[in-house]
Amino acid sequence: MGDASSVYPAEVSVHVLRYPVERPVRTSFGIMHDRPAVFVRVQDRDGAHGWGEVWCNFPACGAEHRARLVDTVLRPLLVGRAYDGPAAAYAHLTAATEVLALQSGEPGPMAQAIAGIDLALWDLCARRAGQPLWAYLGGTSDRVEVYASGINPDEPEHVVQQKHREGYRAFKLKLGFGHERDLRNLRQVRQLLGPGVPLMADANQGWDAAGAATMAAAMGELDIAWLEEPLRADRPYAQWQALARQSPVPLAAGENYLGAEAFQSAIDAGFLKVVQPDLAKWGGISGCLPVIRAVRAAGLRYCPHYLGAGVGLMASAHLLAAVDGIGHKGLLEIDSNDNPLRTLLSGPLSQLEDGVAQLGTDPGIGVEPDLAALREYCGR
């Protein structure tokens, strides 16, 4: 990794945007009727700046709350202090808010707000160095493999066909809408794709142990690359381990783990084949890099989770490009649902060649949000 330059944040601003969607996004636990985004801009005293994003998908009203956490709790802790680099700032913000997170019962929202700031600081440092973030983090290639995600249960084969035309070569379906319907959708898409094309499934914590075992067994004939969150993230490891022993499909999880210890415990417990931290939900880059190293040391697959807007998606892409060398098979998750707050801020990811995107050499994450234009677009 390149030298993580010192930072001295002088300004922090946070911006909430919301795009109303015509076609709601459906999951096993709820429906998204709009797409919120919380963007964070940090400026150093030397004038350098960077952008980050705070996870705020569910419930949508949480976007404003997380923005207030950034503005009223974290900004006063950050501004006017010198740090050796983004990781030092991340450690300071985490330590300074640990008791408050417990007292308020909000360790998740606090961690998400800190993650957004961390992403902005890494972007700031890469921009100041004149390097794309993937290179600043020590990567040697700007290429990332991608997959189309968030595919709803209503006629998913049509979405898969469209995304295939756009250059995608791997796909993930949402499950948790009844076993019969889930299996019918998986079979239809597998028949459409043919053998060998990566097809994944995401239950969004929608099943109990018996239901998950039944579904995993039924999916064995369909060559599913991984089954994501078949159980709730807080279920005892014994349930996950029992499912992993029975399942013909590799298990994946991680987006709902909070903290390095939680990731390490899950890795050590041995039930996962794919680990999926979401850098806007916990850890930013400073927290996720050690987790990725632990994932790789255990011989597991790192595939970042991401279903937000474009700033966090680009940060996820650059981090994956930075750590994905020869022999690694990470896949970048790209939401297939309509969200201009994603597509207008992730241009390099719209040009795919056989499932591969090139991030380019623009400094930092390579995009600069035009807030006025985005707000105008959201108001249409």
Side-chain angles (χ1 to χ4, degrees):
M1 183 187 304
D3 177 30
S5 302
S6 62
V7 292
Y8 194 108
E11 298 178 17
V12 175
S13 60
V14 60
H15 311 273
V16 177
L17 297 97
R18 191 180 300 278
Y19 178 74
V21 294
E22 293 184 8
R23 185 177 183 182
V25 180
R26 301 183 62 188
T27 73
S28 65
F29 55 81
I31 300 175
M32 299 176 67
H33 296 283
D34 59 33
R35 305 304 300 270
V38 177
F39 297 142
V40 180
R41 184 183 188 275
V42 178
Q43 183 165 311
D44 203 76
R45 65 177 177 180
D46 63 8
H49 76 279
W51 288 92
E53 183 175 343
V54 179
W55 184 94
C56 63
N57 288 350
F58 296 100
C61 63
E64 286 79 7
H65 172 56
R66 285 157 177 78
R68 292 293 289 162
L69 289 178
V70 172
D71 193 42
T72 65
V73 177
L74 300 177
R75 184 176 59 84
L77 292 171
L78 187 72
V79 169
R81 290 182 62 110
Y83 300 95
D84 290 340
Y90 174 81
H92 168 237
L93 293 178
T94 300
T97 57
E98 282 177 338
V99 172
L100 178 58
L102 293 173
Q103 183 70 26
S104 62
E106 295 195 310
M110 198 71 72
Q112 294 151 17
I114 293 171
I117 289 176
D118 184 79
L119 296 179
L121 291 174
W122 281 102
D123 183 40
L124 183 159
C125 289
R127 288 175 190 260
R128 184 167 54 194
Q131 294 181 284
L133 183 58
W134 62 263
Y136 186 78
L137 292 168
T140 57
S141 172
D142 70 338
R143 294 166 57 87
V144 289
E145 293 189 52
V146 308
Y147 71 93
S149 176
I151 300 175
N152 284 335
D154 302 319
E155 301 181 324
E157 63 275 14
H158 296 323
V159 177
V160 169
Q161 287 176 322
Q162 175 61 36
K163 292 300 169 181
H164 192 277
R165 288 193 291 268
E166 293 175 12
Y168 287 87
R169 297 297 181 264
F171 308 87
K172 187 173 76 181
L173 268 60
K174 291 285 189 185
L175 306 184
F177 306 99
H179 289 359
E180 183 177 337
R181 186 182 189 186
D182 289 343
L183 288 171
R184 181 177 67 248
N185 283 340
L186 285 170
R187 289 181 180 124
Q188 287 177 340
V189 172
R190 173 50 75 201
Q191 183 177 15
L192 173 68
L193 295 175
V197 177
L199 175 61
M200 292 76 76
D202 186 355
N204 285 127
Q205 308 184 85
W207 301 326
D208 60 15
T214 298
M215 283 295 289
M219 292 163 62
E221 63 177 313
L222 298 173
D223 186 25
I224 304 300
W226 73 66
L227 173 56
E228 188 170 328
E229 290 198 317
L231 302 172
R232 276 173 40 178
D234 65 350
R235 291 299 82 199
Y237 284 169
Q239 287 189 17
W240 281 90
Q241 289 166 329
L243 179 61
R245 287 192 296 269
Q246 301 171 47
S247 175
V249 181
L251 303 186
E255 67 182 270
N256 289 309
Y257 293 161
L258 179 62
E261 291 184 5
F263 278 99
Q264 191 62 58
S265 295
I267 291 168
D268 292 343
F271 52 81
L272 295 178
K273 294 299 183 183
V274 182
V275 185
Q276 303 167 298
D278 185 321
L279 51 64
K281 197 168 190 179
W282 171 82
I285 291 173
S286 296
C288 285
L289 265 175
V291 167
I292 296 166
R293 295 190 186 105
V295 168
R296 294 284 171 75
L300 305 178
R301 191 177 184 188
Y302 162 63
C303 294
H305 174 270
Y306 199 76
L307 212 71
V311 170
L313 177 60
M314 290 301 294
S316 299
H318 279 260
L319 179 57
L320 179 61
V323 301
D324 242 26
I326 296 174
H328 297 303
K329 292 291 184 179
L331 287 174
L332 177 71
E333 179 172 27
I334 301 182
D335 185 9
S336 64
N337 296 283
D338 180 37
N339 185 4
L341 295 176
R342 179 190 72 252
T343 53
L344 294 175
L345 294 173
S346 56
L349 300 178
S350 65
Q351 303 297 319
L352 303 179
E353 185 173 343
D354 285 332
V356 176
Q358 292 184 267
L359 301 179
T361 58
D362 289 343
I365 60 172
V367 296
E368 179 69 30
D370 182 336
L371 296 175
L374 290 171
R375 288 197 176 96
E376 181 180 355
Y377 201 99
C378 288
R380 292 179 181 178

